[in-house]
DNA sequence: GGTTGACTTATTGCATACAATAGCTAAGCA
DNA sequence: TGCTTAGCTATTGTATGCAATAAGTCAACC
């Protein structure tokens, strides 16, 4: 998952201007601040599972580890807390978020509904080029499902879903959908249980794509909702907190 | 709008344990931190319209105004930026968020869908006591609509919607709905255009309540979606940014 | 045996000083 | 006149030190 997409402010992320003129002024060095760097790094480690839910995040220790003072560390931790990836309990140290089973189920329900909403809106609003792009990604996934490469499949799968978010033409909803996806990411299994899941996933996607191409809002929403419900099996859903 | 509800971390706000045992250990002084205080204060001023969209938020000036150092001010501003209430442009000062017309429309669409989702879930899941509570609030609104007190009506109206959020039994979705409501709040007109709107609003609520009581998920969702679309007229929807 | 209380200490909150960056202005040049 | 560039300055970013709070511990008491 691309963590640059992590929406913290009003994420220019998904709704990026998309100005792809070649004669742009300059690539711009993109001066990144240290706090920002820490935030991205920590978020990445959490989402990738290197920092498991419940893992302690000591300000002083992190400051030492990255050779910075506590100030930018605090800032990064606050941002992460705001985005829900960590829990900051005063005077007892912050830890990687460890939602209750109930809450995790709630997040999945939200994800299903948000993705369904995006798919439905996309069916009505996607521009021709966007539709073409979605089909291209879909085709790429078909080939990857045959090749049996879960890692790469997962990557392209995210592009698939991002394309549908963007197709909703509603940046605000797209951000919520992406943020939710990021937040459940730490609970994803390291590997799919079986490779057959890839083919199944592609088949489910197919129903979504067909409905979108047909401009069938309800159909697209239902297909996507069903897909997310099934995807849920790829996640470790168990009580991680007390 | 109660700003204590503003969800920044994983808002214990809406999903508050609801432990209302009388013999609770102690009311707990609720030690509030300075940064938190600033955040609430500034958010309040923004939502109430005292700080209009586009108004500058100078770190140093705010620090002077509240007699604190820049550190807690920075923290508060970051939090507000994360929740989307302000825009923090580096080296040009932060300003109260000034979404484009397009984005504002997107937020309203999101609000309609989120509230509709909550109403639908509430229809299926509300406990008996919750249903009773909702009806009580609804009745209170009926009386207030006759009394013609827009201020008070507005207050109770928020309790009405919060009750439906809670009825969804999904804290995560409830938080998104509330956060969205807060974010469009600054664009609400100071007064309803006419008092007749209160009676109309109550009539729309009535359709929602009836559907919820009947356990009619689709009906409740549709009624709520329609209500939010109409409520939209109470907001100043115009391009506030360039 | 369980509860209450003070004490200790880890951890966070805040203030201040300084460094660094980017926006801005104006001068110089084509 | 329009563009580039250099320097200034407002503003933000970071480091460090100290203050303050609450968590945890242990002992005394009921």
């Amino acid at each position: 998952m691309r963590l640059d997409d992590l929406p913290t402010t009003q994420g220019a992320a998904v709704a990026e201007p998309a100005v792809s003129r070649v004669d742009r002024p300059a690539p711009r060095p993109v001066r990144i601040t240290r706090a920002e760097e820490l935030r991205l790094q920590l978020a990445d480690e959490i989402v990738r599972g290197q920092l498991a839910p419940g893992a302690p995040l000591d300000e002083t220790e992190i400051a030492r580890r990255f050779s910075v003072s506590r100030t930018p560390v605090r800032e990064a931790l606050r941002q992460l807390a705001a985005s829900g990836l960590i829990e900051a309990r005063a005077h007892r140290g912050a830890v990687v978020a460890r939602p209750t089973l109930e809450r995790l189920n709630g997040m999945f329900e939200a994800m299903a509904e948000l993705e369904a909403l995006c798919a439905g809106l996309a069916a009505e609003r996607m521009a021709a080029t966007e539709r073409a792009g979605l089909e291209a990604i879909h085709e790429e996934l078909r080939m990857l499902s045959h090749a049996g490469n879960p890692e790469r499949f997962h990557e392209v799968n995210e592009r698939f879903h991002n394309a549908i978010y963007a197709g909703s033409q509603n940046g605000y909803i797209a951000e919520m959908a992406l943020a939710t996806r990021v937040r459940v990411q730490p609970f994803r299994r390291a590997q799919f249980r079986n490779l057959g899941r890839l083919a199944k996933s592609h088949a489910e996607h197919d129903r979504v794509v067909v409905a979108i191409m047909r401009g069938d809002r309800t159909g697209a929403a239902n297909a996507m909702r069903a897909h997310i419900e099934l995807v849920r099996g790829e996640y470790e859903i168990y009580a991680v907190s007390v």
Side-chain angles (χ1 to χ4, degrees), chain A:
Chain A
M1 170 148 314
R2 303 276 305 130
L3 273 172
D4 313 64
D5 295 344
L6 194 72
T8 45
T9 52
Q10 14 199 16
V14 178
E16 187 71 14
V19 181
S20 52
R21 293 176 57 193
V22 188
D23 55 348
R24 236 169 166 177
R28 232 235 257 202
V30 185
R31 188 69 59 180
I32 192 96
T33 180
R34 253 165 270 199
E36 195 73 0
E37 198 179 313
L38 285 170
R39 197 196 53 143
L40 291 173
Q41 177 69 27
L42 291 173
D44 197 70
E45 293 184 13
I46 292 170
V47 170
R48 295 185 114 82
Q50 292 164 22
L51 281 174
L57 297 163
D58 184 63
E59 288 184 4
T60 314
E61 185 199 314
I62 295 173
R64 265 203 310 272
R65 184 176 146 208
F66 290 93
S67 302
V68 293
S69 79
R70 269 180 52 227
T71 308
V73 174
R74 282 176 61 76
E75 201 158 291
L77 290 182
R78 287 314 182 92
Q79 297 280 105
L80 290 171
S83 76
L85 279 178
I86 76 172
E87 301 167 17
R89 310 155 307 170
H91 294 269
R92 276 191 302 162
V95 296
V96 176
R98 212 181 23 159
T100 62
L101 178 56
E102 184 191 355
R103 189 168 181 86
L104 209 44
N105 282 327
M107 286 165 64
F108 268 101
E109 182 169 64
M111 183 158 102
E113 293 298 334
L114 287 170
E115 299 246 0
L117 176 58
C118 283
L121 293 176
E124 290 183 345
R125 302 177 184 172
M126 262 191 159
T129 53
E130 289 181 309
R131 287 170 198 273
L134 182 64
E135 282 191 314
I137 296 172
H138 186 45
E139 172 61 16
E140 198 175 340
L141 282 174
R142 189 186 63 76
M143 293 189 297
L144 285 171
S145 73
H146 288 154
N149 181 345
E151 294 305 320
R152 183 101 182 89
F153 186 92
H154 178 55
E155 267 178 58
V156 180
N157 181 56
E158 274 168 11
R159 281 183 26 224
F160 179 84
H161 285 276
N162 288 344
I164 292 176
Y165 299 160
S168 75
Q169 314 296 341
N170 185 320
Y172 187 77
I173 293 175
E175 282 165 31
M176 287 194 294
L178 180 58
T180 303
R181 179 169 281 269
V182 168
R183 286 180 64 171
V184 301
Q185 191 69 4
F187 301 95
R188 192 163 175 283
R189 286 180 208 280
Q191 303 288 342
F192 285 2
R193 187 126 48 179
N194 58 63
L195 292 178
R197 183 75 194 95
L198 266 51
K200 286 209 192 79
S201 188
H202 184 268
E204 290 157 27
H205 279 188
D206 200 63
R207 290 186 51 219
V208 176
V209 172
V210 167
I212 288 180
M213 294 306 159
R214 205 193 302 145
D216 175 7
R217 173 164 178 170
T218 308
N222 287 338
M224 181 61 95
R225 195 179 290 110
H227 173 53
I228 300 295
E229 285 302 329
L230 290 168
V231 159
R232 196 163 173 156
E234 296 166 12
Y235 290 77
E236 303 278 356
I237 309 291
Y238 54 83
V240 285
S241 47
V242 282

